[in-house]
Amino acid sequence: MISESVSVDRQARLLDGRPIAAALRDETADRLDRFRAETGMVPGLAIVLATADPASQVYSDRLVKTGRKLGFDCRVEAVEPATPATVHARIERLNRDDSVDGILVQMPLPAPMSVTDIATVISPQKDVDGISSVNVGRVAMGFPAFPPATPLGGFELLRRYGIPIAGQYCVVVGRSNVVGRPFASLMLGANATVTICHRRTPDLARFTRQADIVALAAGQPGLLTGDMIKPGAIVVDFGTTPTDDGLKGDADFESVARVASWLTPVPGGTGPMTNVVVLRQTLEAAFLRRGLQEE
Ligand code: NAP
């Protein structure tokens, strides 16, 4: 059990995403140099922006900036007016565009469109945020795939902080196809025993109190409190809800930090990992499309 040596009074250590994201950026820059040397080409990422949502615009611009700094050819593809037909047409064009290795469709799509409308349109080989039905299926089957960037980033955080996963009991709160479900698949693939909880789970604490690792992907600030976990549990919080007091995770940070051994801060935990994982997967897609192996 992970919790044996951890006292109840202990302040949790932070699973800080910033230094890990920085290390991943450096590794990606090194591999990109190798790709350029081998192919004479620059990997390309296209971000499909089909919404006027200002937060999505900010996220896209930030991803473009990070990508360009690392040497990617990144661009935003704004689709206006955004209808299922125009979004499909743009994705299909990008599927055929040889300069594009990765396609990220910025969420949320404008209602009534949803991820299911594009899940079969985006080429699985360019689907660097793991939303296509092929990638979702491959992740669930434990096959090589591009998992969605957010859960893969959280998984990578655990691995790089040396948190044992095999044999641990992991409770995931949330079952969306973009966060909860793929995170559960990744943990299962790494030999954790996994339970997924959702809104219809009666008595959530009955499950979370038994968990060695609790992953939160509900979008409900304060959902998990310190009395709902066992001493020494590890808490990975994917929740990011804008509130009057800033961005909030699903954990009640104060009370959970008194009981957990490790906890992701919000912001600064899983969030910083997402962009760099998208870029990392874009580079991987670029290698794979040319039949090249990364070392
Ligand atoms: P979502 O599609 O709304 O799914 C939320 C899931 O949580 C659903 O499965 C829902 O259950 C479950 N849930 C909600 N309230 C619950 C409760 N009180 N008890 C138990 N389960 C509950 O959200 P999402 O897209 O997965 O996003 C989840 C969170 O992650 C959000 O805060 C989002 O902003 C954040 N996020 C973060 C990143 C990042 O980079 N860190 C990226 C993407 C998303 P039902 O299925 O029964 O409705």
Side-chain angles (χ1 to χ4, degrees):
M1 284 288 149
I2 291 169
S3 57
E4 275 170 0
S5 63
V6 179
S7 102
V8 178
D9 296 323
R10 183 175 191 152
Q11 181 77 20
R13 282 159 290 178
L14 292 184
L15 285 165
D16 188 345
R18 285 162 290 206
I20 305 299
L24 205 52
R25 269 196 299 275
D26 289 347
E27 288 168 27
T28 304
D30 288 347
R31 287 190 173 128
L32 193 144
D33 284 347
R34 215 196 99 212
F35 177 81
R36 243 186 333 221
E38 281 190 26
T39 65
M41 296 168 111
V42 171
L45 172 67
I47 301 156
V48 177
L49 188 63
T51 165
D53 171 33
S56 298
Q57 181 72 56
V58 168
Y59 174 82
S60 303
D61 290 346
R62 202 179 297 150
L63 178 54
V64 166
K65 200 168 148 206
T66 309
R68 286 186 181 160
K69 221 191 257 177
L70 287 181
F72 286 83
D73 172 18
C74 287
R75 62 175 193 260
V76 173
E77 294 264 338
V79 185
E80 212 181 337
T83 65
T86 57
V87 173
H88 282 197
R90 185 65 61 92
I91 294 172
E92 275 159 1
R93 203 182 78 202
L94 295 168
N95 284 345
R96 292 189 301 270
D97 184 337
D98 201 42
S99 71
V100 173
D101 295 291
I103 302 171
L104 179 135
V105 181
Q106 186 64 63
M107 299 294 157
L109 288 164
M113 261 187 281
S114 77
V115 68
T116 46
D117 292 308
I118 53 166
T120 55
V121 181
I122 187 164
S123 158
Q125 285 75 31
K126 296 188 177 187
D127 173 29
V128 291
D129 198 22
I131 58 167
S132 71
S133 24
V134 170
N135 275 315
V136 171
R138 289 182 69 89
V139 170
M141 294 167 93
F143 292 170
F146 293 123
T150 295
L152 183 58
F155 181 75
E156 195 62 20
L157 258 188
L158 290 177
R159 287 200 331 113
R160 292 193 180 221
Y161 273 95
I163 307 289
I165 296 175
Q168 301 299 307
Y169 179 44
C170 176
V171 169
V172 181
V173 185
R175 58 176 163 179
S176 78
N177 281 324
V178 286
V179 193
R181 227 178 264 243
F183 186 76
S185 295
L186 291 168
M187 295 298 277
L188 191 60
N191 295 315
T193 301
V194 181
T195 297
I196 303 180
C197 300
H198 44 79
R199 269 182 238 266
R200 304 289 292 272
T201 302
D203 193 2
L204 182 62
R206 182 160 69 87
F207 296 90
T208 55
R209 266 189 209 119
Q210 293 177 54
D212 301 305
I213 300 171
V214 181
L216 300 164
Q220 301 288 325
L223 176 63
L224 187 86
T225 47
D227 59 336
M228 293 169 71
I229 58 170
K230 70 178 181 182
I234 291 152
V235 178
V236 180
D237 194 346
F238 291 106
T240 43
T241 306
T243 73
D244 292 343
D245 295 329
L247 218 52
K248 293 284 174 202
D250 291 343
D252 171 49
F253 191 86
E254 300 274 298
S255 65
V256 170
R258 280 198 286 275
V259 186
S261 61
W262 290 93
L263 168 63
T264 50
V266 177
T270 57
M273 297 293 289
T274 300
N275 274 357
V276 66
V277 169
V278 167
L279 294 165
R280 177 77 192 75
Q281 299 210 110
T282 300
L283 182 56
E284 205 177 321
F287 272 107
L288 287 171
R289 272 205 319 128
R290 289 164 185 82
L292 298 171
Q293 291 287 325
E294 286 194 87
E295 80 272 10

